[in-house]
Each structure stands twice: as C-alpha cells, then as structure tokens.
Amino acid sequence: MQCPAGSPSRATLLTGRTTMQHGVADQVTEATPAPASFNNETLLSDLLSVRGYNCGYAGLWDLSDYRKPGYGFDFTYTVGPGVTYRDPNVSRNGAETSEKGYVTELITKAGV
C-alpha cells in the first residue's frame, strides 16, 4: 500500500493501480467523494466474478455508497462512516440493520 488513509489504500489493493492512476488520493467521505472516474475502474472482484467466482466483501467500505458497493460482489457486509465498535449499524447485501456485538467479531463472522 502506498497511502496511510484507508480509501486510497483499498482502491490500490482492489484495482492494482496507483493513487495517481485511480484518482482516490484521500479518505472518501460524503463531503469528499471519490472522483467520478473511479466508477469506471475495474476491480479484482469484477474480473473474478465474470469468471465464475463468488465474490464477497466484509468490512469498512469507503469507496462509494457502503450499502451497495457493486463491483461484482455477490455478498456484502459493510459498515458505514462513523461506525461504533459495539452494536453497529451494518448493511448486509444492501439492507441496513443494527446488530448486537463487537464490530470486528461481526465482520469476521460475516466473512466466513
């Protein structure tokens, strides 16, 4: 990874491109969204899903709307901005809900 902020690092990991190439140079928030050009990026999950792999994402998604990441993911379990560590609000495949427990354990459980 090449950046200490989560959004650029995540974008680099999922695209295989540098910050200068994918354009996500800082933490993505509602006030500072990802550049519109990022919507045209191909992520690793896009490549794998068209080849028959079932792709899932569990965790913090701060590249676009956390409720509907898209990009070829069949399953998503995401937490939004300002997540609390205890009893967080989460999105499971686009449906928002509140779950009981510690966020790290809930994400781990959802990802297996």
Side-chain angles (χ1 to χ4, degrees):
M1 304 295 169
Q2 62 190 11
C3 184
S7 297
S9 296
R10 191 169 288 109
T12 295
L13 176 68
L14 294 172
T15 64
R17 294 163 41 93
T18 68
T19 300
M20 295 300 292
Q21 293 171 318
H22 58 62
V24 180
D26 202 353
Q27 193 66 24
V28 172
T29 65
E30 286 184 20
T32 58
S37 61
F38 188 75
N39 294 332
N40 299 324
E41 289 289 340
T42 300
L43 273 56
L44 179 60
S45 51
D46 291 316
L47 299 173
L48 292 172
S49 67
V50 298
R51 286 167 178 78
Y53 288 87
N54 293 321
C55 299
Y57 187 91
L60 179 65
W61 179 263
D62 54 3
L63 293 171
S64 60
D65 182 355
Y66 78 97
R67 293 171 294 263
K68 297 180 183 173
Y71 296 104
F73 291 113
D74 300 306
F75 169 79
T76 58
Y77 182 89
T78 54
V79 295
V83 64
T84 59
Y85 288 101
R86 284 256 172 238
D87 305 333
N89 291 327
V90 300
S91 173
R92 183 185 295 268
N93 296 325
E96 288 191 85
T97 184
S98 178
E99 297 206 3
K100 299 290 183 200
Y102 187 65
V103 70
T104 306
E105 292 171 351
L106 294 170
I107 291 169
T108 301
K109 184 178 174 183
V112 291

